[in-house]
Amino acid sequence: MTSFTISDGQLDGLKDQVAVITGASSGIGLATLRRIIKHGGKVFASDLTPLPEPEASSVPFLKADVTSWKEQLDVFKAAEQEYGKIDHAFANAGIGKSTSFLEEEVDENGDLLPPKMNTINVNLVGVMYTVKLAIHYLKKNPNGGSIVMTASGSSFARLPAEDYTTAKHGVLGLLRALQPQLHPRLPIRINAVAPSWTDTAIVPRAMIAALGDSNVQSADVVARSVGVLMADKERHGELVYSALGKFVEMEYGESGFHALTKPMMELAEGGEKKEVLAAEKRVDEVLEEMAVENHGISVVTE
């Protein structure tokens, strides 16, 4: 894992770039829209709710439900028609938990109802739709481009929200599956952001009050990580965790997830058990260090 900072100068590469953003009307999506425009980029926005002012008067927008392939397709078509190209896509739209495996809802006959799939459909299927469309449209761009997905701290840690955590693990899985298939084979990079507690509509106001303002980051902190993943052409296959203005790249480096889990994989191929135990211990130590550095906000919730 590698800690780093993000300066305004590192976002200058957004100038004249065109980004499609889902879930653009609030939270991380709106903060990213504003950050891109601040650095000279252009945005085509989509959401179920309209953009607020002043963005509503100046940013092209199309209402779209990310669970609808047709509506997302219309967004990408409109963005290409508006700007003549697409350089980046931010698969950001998301909702909070919508089901529980412990509560027992029944129908009029007293039969158990299936779990609601709203969160899976928005946070994972919707992201997959955005990514599939983005690859298609970025292939048309002679310079290629990048895709950024909104994952979460719960993409790699324990958060007791069954559908939300499952979907965010799925986003990380999509990142890992596509990383070897895109750059450098195609001029398309893919990355993801993994925010810690962030002041958005997904986090209940009561939770933010309980955590305290000093332990919750603004959406712009996450927007900066989105911006650098778009602007920095060297970044590919990264998962950037953000917490209170600090940024950590989780996938690579000597203590990144892949380096730490390699001995575990080698065990299945005849490696030494002591190497696996050492790697497991180091994973625990790194997560513990991150929890301390983030003013007591643990990325592991049990």
Side-chain angles (χ1 to χ4, degrees), residues 46-123:
S46 73
D47 205 322
L48 284 173
T49 56
L51 289 171
E53 291 293 354
E55 288 78 18
S57 299
S58 59
V59 177
F61 173 88
L62 187 62
K63 180 179 178 180
D65 179 347
V66 292
T67 67
S68 166
W69 174 262
K70 173 64 166 59
E71 292 185 18
Q72 284 219 56
L73 175 60
D74 288 344
V75 168
F76 278 83
K77 283 182 176 180
E80 185 181 54
Q81 184 173 5
E82 177 75 25
Y83 293 118
K85 66 166 186 172
I86 296 171
D87 298 296
H88 307 283
F90 183 26
N92 167 70
I95 61 174
K97 175 178 175 176
S98 57
T99 196
S100 170
F101 278 39
L102 301 183
E103 296 174 5
E104 298 186 352
E105 295 184 72
V106 298
D107 62 17
E108 64 273 12
N109 299 316
D111 291 328
L112 187 67
L113 290 170
K116 296 182 180 70
M117 300 300 288
N118 306 47
T119 302
I120 296 292
N121 289 336
V122 173
N123 294 9

Side-chain angles (χ1 to χ4, degrees), residues 230-288:
M230 291 179 178
D232 187 344
K233 294 181 180 180
E234 298 301 314
R235 295 184 181 273
H236 175 57
E238 296 190 3
L239 177 72
V240 176
Y241 176 68
S242 59
L244 303 178
K246 297 180 180 179
F247 303 97
V248 181
E249 200 294 300
M250 304 291 292
E251 292 284 273
Y252 300 117
E254 291 183 4
S255 59
F257 276 129
H258 297 297
L260 294 178
T261 56
K262 184 180 178 182
M264 301 178 198
M265 300 294 290
E266 289 175 345
L267 177 64
E269 300 168 1
E272 292 294 329
K273 186 173 181 179
K274 63 182 181 181
E275 294 176 358
V276 176
L277 294 175
E280 290 176 339
K281 181 180 179 183
R282 181 57 185 151
V283 170
D284 290 339
E285 288 173 351
V286 170
L287 291 175
E288 225 174 273

Side-chain angles (χ1 to χ4, degrees), residues 8 11-21 30-45 55 58-60 82-83 85-88 227 230-231:
D8 283 354
L11 304 181
D12 288 344
L14 295 172
K15 183 175 174 58
D16 298 325
Q17 298 284 286
V18 174
V20 172
I21 300 178
L30 181 58
T32 302
L33 180 156
R34 289 171 172 167
R35 179 58 61 179
I36 291 172
I37 290 174
K38 179 177 180 179
H39 291 273
K42 302 171 184 177
V43 173
F44 194 98
E55 288 78 18
S58 59
V59 177
E82 177 75 25
Y83 293 118
K85 66 166 186 172
I86 296 171
D87 298 296
H88 307 283
M230 291 179 178

